[in-house]
């Protein structure tokens, strides 16, 4: 657990560094909008995720442990209320940098940073391809033993004035067999 906390601290520092660099670039960009991202919801194609544990008998009593003996699978319902907050800054035309945090599908806090290539946020409809890294998936079917995972999320958006709604799709990753649709709202500052 101590190693995990160190990784979370390193991730937070990395996100803060990425945000600092993005804010520094605001003063040098001739055009470039900054948006607040409100992460709201997800819909999983598979309602449950599975955790493999091992069933043992100790002193005549049944217990669950990650030790040995008979494998057993426990099903958990995905958290589909993925509330969180982030920032997106259009660094140069059609390329943005983003960072933030949210409660992920396994009820862990995830911190992310990445880039997005988008058609245009000035149009009513837009498409974006986001690529980056996120924390909070260790010991889950998505992340396995990894402290950080990479992600690729294609999104479509619809916007009116300074408001946009984005729906994204995250394909199944790792041992997870479930793809995920996401919903976020963006507000231009």
């Amino acid at each position: 657990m101590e190693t995990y906390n160190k990784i979370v601290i390193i991730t937070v520092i990395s996100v803060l560094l990425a945000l600092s660099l993005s804010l520094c670039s605001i003063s040098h960009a001739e055009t470039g909008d900054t948006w607040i991202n409100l992460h709201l919801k997800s819909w999983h194609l598979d309602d449950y995720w599975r955790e493999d544990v091992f069933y043992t008998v100790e002193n005549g009593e049944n217990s669950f442990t990650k030790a040995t003996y008979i494998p057993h699978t426990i099903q958990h319902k995905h958290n589909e209320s993925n509330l969180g907050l982030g920032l997106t800054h259009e660094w140069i035309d059609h390329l943005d940098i983003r960072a933030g945090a949210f409660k992920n599908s396994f009820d862990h806090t995830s911190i992310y940073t990445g880039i997005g290539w988008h058609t245009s946020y000035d149009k009513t409809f837009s498409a974006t391809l986001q690529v980056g890294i996120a924390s909070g998936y260790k010991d889950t079917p998505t992340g396995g033993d990894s402290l950080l995972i990479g992600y690729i999320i294609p999104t479509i958006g619809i916007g009116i004035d300074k408001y946009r709604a984005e729906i994204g799709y995250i394909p199944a990753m790792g041992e997870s067999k479930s793809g995920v649709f996401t919903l976020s709202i963006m507000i231009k500052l």
Side-chain angles (χ1 to χ4, degrees):
M1 187 67 166
E2 187 175 316
T3 302
Y4 178 76
N5 290 336
K6 288 178 184 176
I7 295 300
V8 169
I9 291 169
I10 291 169
T11 303
V12 169
I13 291 170
S14 299
V15 168
L16 291 174
L17 180 60
L19 285 172
S20 298
L21 292 173
S22 70
L23 293 174
C24 289
S25 71
I26 290 173
S27 62
H28 300 296
E30 291 181 25
T31 61
D33 296 322
T34 301
W35 301 75
I36 292 177
N37 300 345
L38 303 174
H39 305 294
L40 301 176
K41 181 98 176 112
S42 66
W43 296 271
H44 294 79
L45 300 179
D46 182 359
D47 287 337
Y48 295 91
W49 63 278
R50 291 153 188 82
E51 178 181 18
D52 291 328
V53 295
F54 295 93
Y55 181 72
T56 62
V57 177
E58 295 177 10
N59 299 328
E61 296 181 15
N62 296 335
S63 64
F64 287 98
T65 178
K66 298 245 181 190
T68 55
Y69 305 118
I70 304 166
H72 180 75
T73 300
I74 298 175
Q75 289 191 349
H76 303 277
K77 186 150 180 60
H78 285 108
N79 169 37
E80 293 188 334
S81 176
N82 306 113
L83 300 178
L85 189 63
L87 281 179
T88 296
H89 176 70
E90 190 172 13
W91 187 30
I92 56 176
D93 284 343
H94 305 291
L95 186 65
D96 61 53
I97 45 183
R98 51 186 65 212
F102 62 96
K103 183 69 95 175
N104 70 28
S105 300
F106 303 102
D107 285 317
H108 300 146
T109 299
S110 284
I111 299 171
Y112 69 90
T113 186
I115 61 171
W117 176 83
H118 58 86
T119 52
S120 176
Y121 291 147
D122 293 332
K123 309 244 186 242
T124 302
F125 296 99
S126 65
T128 304
L129 182 63
Q130 300 175 27
V131 178
I133 57 172
S135 68
Y137 292 92
K138 183 170 172 35
D139 297 328
T140 68
T142 301
D145 292 333
S146 300
L147 295 173
L148 297 173
I149 63 167
Y151 65 82
I152 299 174
I153 307 173
T155 67
I156 56 170
I158 184 168
I160 298 172
D161 295 325
K162 63 179 188 171
Y163 302 98
R164 298 197 69 70
E166 280 193 334
I167 295 178
Y169 177 71
I170 305 170
M173 297 177 3
E175 293 180 22
S176 173
K177 306 295 186 246
S178 178
V180 183
F181 287 95
T182 64
L183 173 64
S184 295
I185 302 295
M186 297 173 68
I187 303 169
K188 187 190 297 187
L189 297 178

